[in-house]
Amino acid sequence: MFYSSSIESEIKKLYNSLSEKDKRRYAAIEAQKLGWGGISYIMKLCGCSRNTIVQGIKDLETMNETTINNLRVRKKGGGRKSILATRSGIDEAFLEVLKFQTAGDPMNELIKWTNLTHKEIAVGLKNAGFCVSLPLVGQLLKKHGYVKRKAQKKQTTGINKNRNAQFENIARLDTEYREAGNPIISFDTQKKRSFREFVSSGNSLYNRACYYFRS
């Protein structure tokens, strides 16, 4: 770490108050001040890309008094549009990639997550004809309401060699029933435990079963 948390906070506040051109020049100055590792540090601190800092360094190398006075600040909303706004069908392709890789909270239909990594989602979109970056995958996940699943402390149940085949079979049956127009019932149940395990963990002595319908 190059700076204390208080200095980092001041740098971020100043950076966010500047125009686009001033941001990249300021980030470039800070990165060059820090020397080795400075670019990576400022990238993470300010949330900018390496290309932004590199362009800022180039700006500083070519600046003179005349160019400073004639600099034009781009209006809000200018610049290249995001692929999310320019490529039709990307949302549908994204949802298709996650179609059988989505789970959620049976007690709250607004909470859902996926077991796919950003890289796996990007590969799926590439196969569908959309070349996207990992940050863009993150934007798509946020746009469609996916959240990070919180880690839970629980007793391991071991590894089953047929685990993947089981889920593939579930996905196959899910598709068959959907295409036939039948309703699908999804159960989320708690694993059975011995009496001693329940007493030691302080849990109630029954299995909870929650279900919901989806069509």
Side-chain angles (χ1 to χ4, degrees):
M1 180 178 288
F2 291 93
Y3 294 125
S4 65
S5 58
S6 60
I7 296 299
E8 286 184 339
S9 178
E10 293 300 320
I11 289 176
K12 286 191 286 187
K13 283 196 295 185
L14 176 57
Y15 177 85
N16 291 329
S17 69
L18 299 174
S19 66
E20 182 181 349
K21 285 185 170 62
D22 290 336
K23 279 182 178 179
R24 67 181 183 228
R25 289 197 296 267
Y26 175 61
I29 291 173
E30 288 292 344
Q32 291 184 104
K33 279 168 49 180
L34 299 174
W36 178 260
I39 291 180
S40 297
Y41 176 75
I42 294 299
M43 281 172 55
K44 294 179 181 179
L45 179 60
C46 297
C48 59
S49 68
R50 180 176 294 273
N51 288 339
T52 295
I53 297 178
V54 171
Q55 183 59 50
I57 293 174
K58 292 179 180 179
D59 288 350
L60 294 174
E61 292 174 347
T62 58
M63 280 176 60
N64 54 46
E65 187 173 349
T66 301
T67 58
I68 292 176
N69 293 331
N70 294 329
L71 285 174
R72 180 175 61 87
V73 177
R74 185 168 64 190
K75 293 182 179 180
K76 185 176 181 180
R80 186 173 60 183
K81 300 296 183 183
S82 168
I83 187 175
L84 297 181
T86 58
R87 292 293 301 276
S88 62
I90 189 170
D91 291 296
E92 291 77 5
F94 169 79
L95 294 174
E96 184 65 26
V97 170
L98 272 65
K99 184 175 181 180
F100 297 117
Q101 302 295 336
T102 296
D105 186 343
M107 305 303 292
N108 187 346
E109 63 180 9
L110 298 179
I111 298 178
K112 57 184 177 180
W113 56 79
T114 179
N115 63 334
L116 295 179
T117 64
H118 284 44
K119 186 175 182 180
E120 289 171 335
I121 296 173
V123 170
L125 285 171
K126 185 177 181 180
N127 293 336
F130 297 93
C131 292
V132 300
S133 64
L134 298 186
L136 190 62
V137 171
Q139 293 178 34
L140 282 165
L141 288 167
K142 184 177 181 180
K143 177 181 179 181
H144 292 282
Y146 283 82
V147 299
K148 290 184 178 180
R149 188 175 185 183
K150 295 182 180 179
Q152 298 179 350
K153 294 182 180 179
K154 58 183 179 180
Q155 186 178 19
T156 178
T157 57
I159 300 175
N160 189 320
K161 64 179 181 180
N162 298 318
R163 180 176 178 83
N164 188 61
Q166 292 172 352
F167 283 101
E168 289 180 349
N169 188 45
I170 292 172
R172 179 183 61 80
L173 292 173
D174 183 281
T175 301
E176 290 181 4
Y177 275 76
R178 283 179 186 275
E179 291 177 349
N182 294 317
I184 301 170
I185 303 174
S186 177
F187 288 92
D188 179 18
T189 62
Q190 183 175 342
K191 176 180 174 293
K192 291 183 178 179
R193 298 181 183 179
S194 66
F195 179 81
R196 178 174 297 179
E197 286 181 296
F198 274 107
V199 173
S200 62
S201 63
N203 288 321
S204 56
L205 304 179
Y206 61 87
N207 289 326
R208 291 171 296 170
C210 301
Y211 67 91
Y212 62 97
F213 292 89
R214 60 182 182 182
S215 57

